[in-house]
C-alpha cells in the first residue's frame, strides 16, 4: 500500500488479510463436515466449542503457523500446522487445549505442526496449565516425510512426560486414530478417554502390520476403544460418541479440583478513557512516520492512567507504571532508538519491577540501539548489555507485543522471542529484521563498492543495483508479521484493538501460575 493511505485504512486492510488467511484454514477443515457427519463425528472446532465453558473466552494461538512454509504461493498456503491450540476455560479451570485438525489431511502433520505442539507444551509447563489433547491424527505424512520431523517429533513425547512429572495433569480424548509415534500421545497422557468405534491406538496400523509381519487385523480388534479399555488398560473411559467423550472430559477436569478461586481471570478494572478503535490510527504504511507510544499506552491501560518513570532521562525510551485489567504492570516502549541513557533507565526499571513482583509488558517500536561515535564513546555496548542482563534474569512474567518496528539488537533489548517472554504477539503491521530493507541493501552496496576499490577494478553498477534490489525484496518479505508468525516467532498476530483484552487474559494466566502450587513427581503418572 502507498504511503498516502490513512493509517486506519492500512490497518483495516491488514486485519482483513489476516482474517482471510485464517478463514482459509477453517474453511478447508469444514469441507470435511459431510464426512464427519456421516461417521457421527463432530468437526475439530465443534469439539473445541463443546468442551469449553459457554460464554468464556478462548485465546487461540499460532493461527498462522506454517504460513508460506507448506508452499511459497500465498494463494495455496494453508496455515495452522494441522492443530487448533489455545487457552480456554473447561469446568472452571484454565487449560492448554490442543485439538488435532482432522478435517485437513486426516490430521496428518502440517508444516510447523511439531513446533506449534511443543510451543503449547512449553506454555503449559511455564504457566502450570493442565494439558488437554483432542486426538485424531494420521500421524506423519509419508508423502512429505522429512527426517528432521521424525527426530524433532520425539520432543512431543518428552514434553508430555515432563508435564506429568511436574505435577501438571495431561488428558487425552481419542476421537480417531492415534497411530505409530502418535500412539504415545495417548500413552503418555495421565488419563485417556476413547470414543467407541472411532478412537483407536496402535504402534502399527493394519497396513504397516501386514507389511512388517504378515499379520492381518482390523482397526477395532487391533487397537479399538474396547480393546484398550478391557485388555491393554490404555483407556480409562469409553464414550459412545464425540459429545459423550467431551462430557466425560469436563467431568474429569472438574474432579481435578483446579478451580482455585484465588484470582479471577477478569479482575474488576476501569476501562481506558480512550476507545480501542483509536489504536488503528497510529501505524501507517509509511514506516518512517513517527508514533508516540505514550498515546498508544493510553488506549490500553486502565483508566488511560499511567505514571511515567524518569520521563526526562533517556526520553526516547519509555518506562511507565500502570494497570491492565486490574493487574499492575511495568510497560517499556520506544519513541526512537535505544540510547545509553535509555538503556540505563530500562535496566533500572526492569530491576525495580522485578524487586516488587510487577509483571513487565514490552511494546516494540524501535529501529535498534543507537550507533555512531558518540553512542560508542558513551558506552552503548555495555549499557545495552546491562539491559539484556536485566531482562534475561528478571523473575517476573514478561509479555511482548510487537507494535511497530523491532529491528537489530533492539529486538533483543526489548525481550524478543529468544529471551523467553511468557507470550509474544504481533500487530499486523509489525516488522522484525536485523535491520531495515534499505539499510541492508545500502550496506551491501557499500561493501561491493569498497571491494572493487581495493581490487582496483571498475564497479559493476548494474550487478550492485540488482543485488541491492534482491536484498531489499528478501528483507521486505521476511520481516512481515504474517511471515514471522508463520515461523512461530510469535504466539499470534492480533488485531490492535484486542491488545488490552489479550494482555489482561495472559496476565491472569501468569498470575494463576504464580499462585498455584504443584505436586511434582520423580516420574510422570504411569498407567496400569
Amino acid at each position: 500500500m502507498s504511503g498516502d493511505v490513512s493509517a486506519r485504512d492500512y490497518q483495516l486492510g491488514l486485519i482483513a488479510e489476516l482474517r482471510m488467511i485464517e478463514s482459509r484454514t477453517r474453511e478447508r477443515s469444514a469441507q470435511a463436515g459431510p464426512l464427519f457427519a456421516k461417521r457421527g463425528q463432530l468437526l475439530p472446532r465443534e469439539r473445541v466449542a463443546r468442551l469449553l465453558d459457554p460464554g468464556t473466552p478462548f485465546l487461540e494461538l499460532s493461527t498462522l503457523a506454517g504460513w508460506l512454509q507448506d508452499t511459497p504461493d500465498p494463494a495455496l498456503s494453508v496455515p495452522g500446522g494441522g492443530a487448533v491450540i489455545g487457552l480456554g476455560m473447561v469446568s472452571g479451570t484454565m487449560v492448554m487445549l490442543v485439538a488435532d485438525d482432522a478435517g485437513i489431511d486426516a490430521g496428518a502433520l502440517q508444516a510447523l505442526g511439531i513446533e506449534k505442539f511443543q510451543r503449547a507444551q512449553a506454555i503449559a509447563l511455564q504457566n502450570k496449565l493442565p494439558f488437554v489433547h483432542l486426538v485424531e491424527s494420521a500421524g506423519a505424512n509419508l508423502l512429505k516425510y522429512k527426517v528432521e520431523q521424525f527426530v524433532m517429533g520425539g520432543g512431543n513425547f518428552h514434553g508430555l512426560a515432563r508435564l506429568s512429572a511436574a505435577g501438571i495433569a495431561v488428558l487425552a480424548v481419542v476421537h480417531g486414530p492415534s497411530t505409530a509415534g502418535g500412539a504415545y500421545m495417548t500413552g503418555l497422557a495421565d488419563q485417556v478417554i476413547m470414543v467407541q468405534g472411532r478412537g483407536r491406538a496402535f504402534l502399527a496400523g493394519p497396513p504397516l502390520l501386514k507389511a512388517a509381519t504378515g499379520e492381518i487385523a482390523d482397526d477395532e480388534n487391533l487397537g479399538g476403544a474396547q480393546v484398550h479399555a478391557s485388555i491393554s488398560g490404555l483407556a480409562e473411559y469409553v464414550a459412545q460418541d464425540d459429545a459423550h467423550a467431551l462430557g466425560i472430559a469436563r467431568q474429569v477436569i472438574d474432579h481435578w479440583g483446579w478451580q482455585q478461586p484465588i484470582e479471577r481471570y477478569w479482575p474488576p478494572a476501569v476501562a481506558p478513557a480512550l476507545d480501542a478503535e483509536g489504536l488503528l490510527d497510529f501505524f501507517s504504511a509509511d514506516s518512517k512516520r513517527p508514533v508516540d507510544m505514550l498515546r498508544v499506552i493510553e488506549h490500553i491501560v486502565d483508566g488511560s492512567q499511567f505514571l511515567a518513570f524518569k520521563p526526562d532521562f533517556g526520553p526516547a525510551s519509555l518506562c511507565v507504571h500502570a494497570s491492565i485489567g486490574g493487574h499492575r504492570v511495568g510497560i517499556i516502549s520506544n519513541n526512537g532508538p535505544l540510547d545509553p541513557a535509555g538503556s540505563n533507565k530500562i535496566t533500572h526499571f526492569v530491576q525495580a519491577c522485578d524487586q516488587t513482583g510487577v509483571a513487565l509488558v514490552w511494546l516494540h517500536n524501535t529501529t535498534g540501539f543507537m550507533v555512531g561515535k558518540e553512542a560508542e564513546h558513551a558506552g552503548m555496548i555495555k549499557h545495552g548489555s546491562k539491559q539484556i542482563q536485566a531482562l534475561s534474569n528478571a523473575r517476573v512474567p514478561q509479555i511482548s507485543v510487537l507494535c511497530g518496528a523491532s529491528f537489530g539488537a533492539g529486538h533483543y533489548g526489548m525481550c524478543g522471542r529468544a529471551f523467553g517472554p511468557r507470550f509474544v504477539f504481533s500487530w499486523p503491521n509489525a516488522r522484525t529484521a536485523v535491520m531495515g530493507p534499505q539499510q541492508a541493501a545500502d550496506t551491501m552496496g557499500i561493501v561491493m563498492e569498497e571491494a572493487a576499490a581495493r581490487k582496483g577494478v571498475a564497479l559493476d553498477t548494474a550487478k550492485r543495483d540488482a543485488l541491492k534490489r534482491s536484498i531489499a525484496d528478501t528483507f521486505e518479505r521476511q520481516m512481515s508479521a504474517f511471515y514471522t508468525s508463520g515461523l512461530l516467532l510469535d504466539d499470534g498476530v492480533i488485531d490492535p484493538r484486542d491488545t488490552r483484552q489479550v494482555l489482561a487474559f495472559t496476565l491472569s494466566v501468569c498470575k494463576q501460575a504464580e499462585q498455584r502450587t504443584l505436586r511434582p513427581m520423580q516420574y510422570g503418572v504411569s498407567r496400569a
Side-chain angles (χ1 to χ4, degrees), residues 148-194:
E148 61 267 28
Q149 286 189 338
F150 158 66
V151 174
M152 298 308 296
N156 292 0
F157 315 138
H158 175 70
L160 292 173
R162 290 183 64 224
L163 284 168
S164 182
I168 296 172
V170 179
L171 174 65
V173 184
V174 186
H175 296 273
S178 179
T179 308
Y184 289 104
M185 296 294 192
T186 301
L188 284 161
D190 299 328
Q191 297 187 61
V192 173
I193 303 164
M194 295 188 76

Short mmCIF file of all heavy atoms in Angstrom, two decimals, residues 148-194:
data_model
loop_
_atom_site.label_atom_id
_atom_site.label_comp_id
_atom_site.label_asym_id
_atom_site.label_seq_id
_atom_site.Cartn_x
_atom_site.Cartn_y
_atom_site.Cartn_z
N GLU A 148 13.97 -34.72 9.73
CA GLU A 148 14.03 -33.84 10.89
C GLU A 148 12.72 -33.84 11.66
O GLU A 148 12.71 -33.65 12.89
CB GLU A 148 14.41 -32.41 10.48
CG GLU A 148 13.44 -31.71 9.53
CD GLU A 148 13.80 -31.88 8.07
OE1 GLU A 148 14.42 -32.92 7.73
OE2 GLU A 148 13.48 -30.99 7.28
N GLN A 149 11.60 -34.06 10.95
CA GLN A 149 10.32 -34.15 11.66
C GLN A 149 10.28 -35.38 12.55
O GLN A 149 9.78 -35.32 13.68
CB GLN A 149 9.17 -34.19 10.67
CG GLN A 149 8.87 -32.87 9.99
CD GLN A 149 7.59 -32.93 9.18
OE1 GLN A 149 7.13 -34.01 8.79
NE2 GLN A 149 6.99 -31.78 8.91
N PHE A 150 10.82 -36.48 12.05
CA PHE A 150 10.88 -37.70 12.86
C PHE A 150 11.73 -37.48 14.11
O PHE A 150 11.32 -37.83 15.23
CB PHE A 150 11.45 -38.85 12.03
CG PHE A 150 12.04 -39.96 12.84
CD1 PHE A 150 11.23 -40.74 13.65
CD2 PHE A 150 13.41 -40.21 12.83
CE1 PHE A 150 11.78 -41.76 14.42
CE2 PHE A 150 13.96 -41.21 13.60
CZ PHE A 150 13.14 -42.00 14.40
N VAL A 151 12.90 -36.88 13.94
CA VAL A 151 13.81 -36.69 15.07
C VAL A 151 13.23 -35.69 16.07
O VAL A 151 13.14 -35.96 17.27
CB VAL A 151 15.20 -36.23 14.58
CG1 VAL A 151 16.09 -35.89 15.77
CG2 VAL A 151 15.83 -37.32 13.73
N MET A 152 12.82 -34.52 15.57
CA MET A 152 12.32 -33.47 16.47
C MET A 152 10.95 -33.82 17.04
O MET A 152 10.57 -33.32 18.11
CB MET A 152 12.25 -32.14 15.72
CG MET A 152 13.60 -31.64 15.22
SD MET A 152 14.87 -31.60 16.52
CE MET A 152 14.17 -30.38 17.63
N GLY A 153 10.20 -34.69 16.36
CA GLY A 153 8.90 -35.08 16.86
C GLY A 153 8.96 -35.77 18.21
O GLY A 153 7.98 -35.75 18.97
N GLY A 154 10.09 -36.38 18.52
CA GLY A 154 10.24 -37.01 19.83
C GLY A 154 10.08 -36.02 20.97
O GLY A 154 9.76 -36.40 22.09
N GLY A 155 10.33 -34.73 20.66
CA GLY A 155 10.15 -33.70 21.69
C GLY A 155 8.72 -33.61 22.17
O GLY A 155 8.47 -33.18 23.31
N ASN A 156 7.76 -33.99 21.33
CA ASN A 156 6.35 -34.00 21.77
C ASN A 156 6.17 -34.95 22.95
O ASN A 156 5.49 -34.65 23.93
CB ASN A 156 5.45 -34.45 20.63
CG ASN A 156 5.39 -33.45 19.49
OD1 ASN A 156 6.03 -32.41 19.53
ND2 ASN A 156 4.61 -33.77 18.47
N PHE A 157 6.78 -36.13 22.85
CA PHE A 157 6.63 -37.15 23.89
C PHE A 157 7.43 -36.75 25.14
O PHE A 157 6.96 -36.94 26.27
CB PHE A 157 7.08 -38.50 23.37
CG PHE A 157 6.57 -38.82 22.00
CD1 PHE A 157 7.37 -39.40 21.03
CD2 PHE A 157 5.26 -38.50 21.64
CE1 PHE A 157 6.90 -39.67 19.77
CE2 PHE A 157 4.78 -38.77 20.37
CZ PHE A 157 5.60 -39.36 19.43
N HIS A 158 8.60 -36.21 24.90
CA HIS A 158 9.42 -35.72 26.02
C HIS A 158 8.66 -34.66 26.81
O HIS A 158 8.64 -34.67 28.04
CB HIS A 158 10.72 -35.13 25.45
CG HIS A 158 11.62 -34.49 26.47
ND1 HIS A 158 12.31 -35.21 27.41
CD2 HIS A 158 11.94 -33.19 26.68
CE1 HIS A 158 13.03 -34.39 28.17
NE2 HIS A 158 12.82 -33.15 27.75
N GLY A 159 7.98 -33.76 26.08
CA GLY A 159 7.24 -32.70 26.74
C GLY A 159 6.07 -33.22 27.56
O GLY A 159 5.80 -32.72 28.66
N LEU A 160 5.36 -34.22 27.04
CA LEU A 160 4.26 -34.81 27.80
C LEU A 160 4.76 -35.45 29.10
O LEU A 160 4.12 -35.33 30.16
CB LEU A 160 3.52 -35.84 26.95
CG LEU A 160 2.74 -35.29 25.75
CD1 LEU A 160 2.21 -36.45 24.90
CD2 LEU A 160 1.60 -34.39 26.21
N ALA A 161 5.88 -36.14 29.03
CA ALA A 161 6.44 -36.77 30.22
C ALA A 161 6.84 -35.73 31.26
O ALA A 161 6.63 -35.90 32.47
CB ALA A 161 7.65 -37.63 29.83
N ARG A 162 7.41 -34.61 30.79
CA ARG A 162 7.84 -33.55 31.71
C ARG A 162 6.63 -32.86 32.35
O ARG A 162 6.68 -32.49 33.54
CB ARG A 162 8.70 -32.52 30.96
CG ARG A 162 10.06 -33.06 30.55
CD ARG A 162 10.89 -31.97 29.89
NE ARG A 162 11.17 -30.89 30.82
CZ ARG A 162 11.08 -29.59 30.53
NH1 ARG A 162 10.67 -29.22 29.33
NH2 ARG A 162 11.37 -28.67 31.41
N LEU A 163 5.57 -32.66 31.59
CA LEU A 163 4.37 -32.06 32.16
C LEU A 163 3.82 -32.92 33.30
O LEU A 163 3.53 -32.42 34.39
CB LEU A 163 3.30 -31.89 31.07
CG LEU A 163 3.49 -30.74 30.08
CD1 LEU A 163 2.54 -30.89 28.90
CD2 LEU A 163 3.27 -29.39 30.76
N SER A 164 3.69 -34.21 33.05
CA SER A 164 3.15 -35.11 34.07
C SER A 164 4.02 -35.13 35.32
O SER A 164 3.53 -35.06 36.44
CB SER A 164 3.00 -36.51 33.49
OG SER A 164 2.43 -37.40 34.43
N ALA A 165 5.33 -35.21 35.11
CA ALA A 165 6.25 -35.26 36.25
C ALA A 165 6.25 -33.96 37.03
O ALA A 165 6.49 -33.96 38.25
CB ALA A 165 7.66 -35.58 35.76
N ALA A 166 5.96 -32.84 36.36
CA ALA A 166 5.93 -31.54 37.05
C ALA A 166 4.68 -31.39 37.91
O ALA A 166 4.58 -30.44 38.70
CB ALA A 166 5.98 -30.41 36.03
N GLY A 167 3.73 -32.34 37.79
CA GLY A 167 2.50 -32.25 38.54
C GLY A 167 1.37 -31.61 37.76
O GLY A 167 0.36 -31.20 38.34
N ILE A 168 1.55 -31.51 36.45
CA ILE A 168 0.54 -30.92 35.58
C ILE A 168 -0.23 -32.04 34.89
O ILE A 168 0.36 -32.87 34.19
CB ILE A 168 1.19 -29.99 34.54
CG1 ILE A 168 1.85 -28.80 35.26
CG2 ILE A 168 0.17 -29.50 33.53
CD1 ILE A 168 2.68 -27.92 34.36
N ALA A 169 -1.53 -32.08 35.08
CA ALA A 169 -2.35 -33.17 34.54
C ALA A 169 -2.42 -33.11 33.02
O ALA A 169 -2.53 -32.04 32.42
CB ALA A 169 -3.76 -33.10 35.12
N VAL A 170 -2.35 -34.29 32.39
CA VAL A 170 -2.44 -34.43 30.93
C VAL A 170 -3.60 -35.36 30.62
O VAL A 170 -3.65 -36.49 31.11
CB VAL A 170 -1.13 -35.00 30.34
CG1 VAL A 170 -1.27 -35.15 28.83
CG2 VAL A 170 0.06 -34.11 30.68
N LEU A 171 -4.55 -34.87 29.82
CA LEU A 171 -5.73 -35.66 29.46
C LEU A 171 -5.80 -35.79 27.94
O LEU A 171 -5.67 -34.81 27.21
CB LEU A 171 -7.00 -34.97 29.97
CG LEU A 171 -8.34 -35.59 29.56
CD1 LEU A 171 -8.50 -36.96 30.18
CD2 LEU A 171 -9.50 -34.68 29.97
N ALA A 172 -6.00 -37.02 27.46
CA ALA A 172 -6.18 -37.26 26.02
C ALA A 172 -7.60 -37.76 25.78
O ALA A 172 -8.08 -38.69 26.45
CB ALA A 172 -5.17 -38.29 25.52
N VAL A 173 -8.28 -37.12 24.83
CA VAL A 173 -9.59 -37.59 24.37
C VAL A 173 -9.38 -38.09 22.95
O VAL A 173 -9.11 -37.30 22.04
CB VAL A 173 -10.64 -36.47 24.40
CG1 VAL A 173 -12.01 -37.02 24.00
CG2 VAL A 173 -10.69 -35.81 25.78
N VAL A 174 -9.47 -39.40 22.75
CA VAL A 174 -9.13 -40.01 21.47
C VAL A 174 -10.39 -40.17 20.63
O VAL A 174 -11.20 -41.07 20.86
CB VAL A 174 -8.40 -41.36 21.68
CG1 VAL A 174 -7.93 -41.91 20.35
CG2 VAL A 174 -7.22 -41.19 22.63
N HIS A 175 -10.53 -39.28 19.65
CA HIS A 175 -11.71 -39.28 18.79
C HIS A 175 -11.53 -40.15 17.55
O HIS A 175 -12.50 -40.51 16.89
CB HIS A 175 -12.01 -37.85 18.33
CG HIS A 175 -12.39 -36.93 19.43
ND1 HIS A 175 -13.67 -36.78 19.88
CD2 HIS A 175 -11.62 -36.08 20.19
CE1 HIS A 175 -13.70 -35.88 20.85
NE2 HIS A 175 -12.48 -35.44 21.07
N GLY A 176 -10.28 -40.43 17.19
CA GLY A 176 -9.99 -41.18 15.98
C GLY A 176 -8.65 -41.87 16.10
O GLY A 176 -8.24 -42.26 17.21
N PRO A 177 -7.92 -42.02 15.01
CA PRO A 177 -6.64 -42.73 15.05
C PRO A 177 -5.59 -42.04 15.91
O PRO A 177 -5.51 -40.82 15.96
CB PRO A 177 -6.20 -42.75 13.58
CG PRO A 177 -7.43 -42.50 12.79
CD PRO A 177 -8.30 -41.63 13.64
N SER A 178 -4.82 -42.84 16.59
CA SER A 178 -3.64 -42.40 17.34
C SER A 178 -2.58 -43.44 17.03
O SER A 178 -2.41 -44.42 17.76
CB SER A 178 -3.96 -42.34 18.83
OG SER A 178 -2.85 -41.93 19.59
N THR A 179 -1.89 -43.21 15.92
CA THR A 179 -1.14 -44.29 15.27
C THR A 179 0.36 -44.07 15.34
O THR A 179 0.85 -42.94 15.33
CB THR A 179 -1.57 -44.40 13.79
OG1 THR A 179 -2.98 -44.49 13.73
CG2 THR A 179 -0.95 -45.60 13.11
N ALA A 180 1.10 -45.19 15.33
CA ALA A 180 2.58 -45.20 15.28
C ALA A 180 3.11 -44.31 16.41
O ALA A 180 2.71 -44.47 17.56
CB ALA A 180 3.06 -44.75 13.91
N GLY A 181 4.01 -43.37 16.09
CA GLY A 181 4.53 -42.49 17.14
C GLY A 181 3.41 -41.73 17.82
O GLY A 181 3.49 -41.41 19.01
N GLY A 182 2.35 -41.43 17.06
CA GLY A 182 1.21 -40.73 17.65
C GLY A 182 0.52 -41.51 18.74
O GLY A 182 -0.24 -40.93 19.54
N ALA A 183 0.74 -42.82 18.81
CA ALA A 183 0.13 -43.62 19.88
C ALA A 183 0.65 -43.17 21.24
O ALA A 183 -0.04 -43.31 22.26
CB ALA A 183 0.44 -45.10 19.67
N TYR A 184 1.86 -42.62 21.26
CA TYR A 184 2.41 -42.15 22.53
C TYR A 184 1.78 -40.85 22.99
O TYR A 184 1.92 -40.47 24.15
CB TYR A 184 3.93 -42.04 22.42
CG TYR A 184 4.59 -43.40 22.36
CD1 TYR A 184 5.08 -43.90 21.17
CD2 TYR A 184 4.67 -44.19 23.50
CE1 TYR A 184 5.65 -45.16 21.10
CE2 TYR A 184 5.24 -45.46 23.45
CZ TYR A 184 5.74 -45.94 22.24
OH TYR A 184 6.29 -47.19 22.19
N MET A 185 1.08 -40.15 22.09
CA MET A 185 0.29 -39.00 22.53
C MET A 185 -0.78 -39.49 23.50
O MET A 185 -1.13 -38.83 24.48
CB MET A 185 -0.40 -38.33 21.34
CG MET A 185 0.55 -37.72 20.33
SD MET A 185 1.46 -36.35 21.05
CE MET A 185 2.18 -35.65 19.58
N THR A 186 -1.30 -40.68 23.23
CA THR A 186 -2.28 -41.30 24.10
C THR A 186 -1.60 -41.99 25.29
O THR A 186 -2.00 -41.81 26.44
CB THR A 186 -3.11 -42.33 23.31
OG1 THR A 186 -3.78 -41.66 22.24
CG2 THR A 186 -4.14 -43.01 24.20
N GLY A 187 -0.56 -42.73 25.01
CA GLY A 187 0.10 -43.50 26.06
C GLY A 187 0.73 -42.64 27.14
O GLY A 187 0.83 -43.07 28.29
N LEU A 188 1.14 -41.42 26.80
CA LEU A 188 1.80 -40.56 27.78
C LEU A 188 0.83 -39.63 28.50
O LEU A 188 1.25 -38.82 29.32
CB LEU A 188 2.91 -39.74 27.09
CG LEU A 188 4.17 -40.56 26.78
CD1 LEU A 188 5.03 -39.88 25.73
CD2 LEU A 188 4.97 -40.79 28.06
N ALA A 189 -0.45 -39.74 28.19
CA ALA A 189 -1.45 -38.97 28.94
C ALA A 189 -1.68 -39.62 30.30
O ALA A 189 -1.57 -40.83 30.45
CB ALA A 189 -2.76 -38.90 28.15
N ASP A 190 -2.02 -38.82 31.29
CA ASP A 190 -2.30 -39.36 32.62
C ASP A 190 -3.64 -40.09 32.65
O ASP A 190 -3.80 -41.06 33.39
CB ASP A 190 -2.32 -38.23 33.65
CG ASP A 190 -1.00 -37.50 33.73
OD1 ASP A 190 0.04 -38.15 33.52
OD2 ASP A 190 -1.00 -36.29 34.00
N GLN A 191 -4.59 -39.61 31.86
CA GLN A 191 -5.90 -40.27 31.75
C GLN A 191 -6.35 -40.21 30.30
O GLN A 191 -6.05 -39.24 29.60
CB GLN A 191 -6.94 -39.60 32.66
CG GLN A 191 -6.59 -39.70 34.15
CD GLN A 191 -7.71 -39.19 35.03
OE1 GLN A 191 -8.82 -39.70 35.01
NE2 GLN A 191 -7.40 -38.17 35.81
N VAL A 192 -7.05 -41.25 29.86
CA VAL A 192 -7.45 -41.38 28.46
C VAL A 192 -8.93 -41.69 28.33
O VAL A 192 -9.45 -42.57 29.02
CB VAL A 192 -6.62 -42.49 27.76
CG1 VAL A 192 -7.14 -42.76 26.35
CG2 VAL A 192 -5.14 -42.12 27.74
N ILE A 193 -9.57 -40.96 27.45
CA ILE A 193 -10.97 -41.23 27.08
C ILE A 193 -10.96 -41.62 25.61
O ILE A 193 -10.38 -40.91 24.78
CB ILE A 193 -11.84 -39.97 27.27
CG1 ILE A 193 -11.76 -39.46 28.71
CG2 ILE A 193 -13.29 -40.24 26.86
CD1 ILE A 193 -12.27 -38.05 28.90
N MET A 194 -11.59 -42.73 25.25
CA MET A 194 -11.62 -43.17 23.86
C MET A 194 -13.07 -43.31 23.40
O MET A 194 -13.93 -43.77 24.15
CB MET A 194 -10.88 -44.49 23.67
CG MET A 194 -9.39 -44.41 23.94
SD MET A 194 -8.49 -45.93 23.50
CE MET A 194 -8.43 -45.77 21.71
#
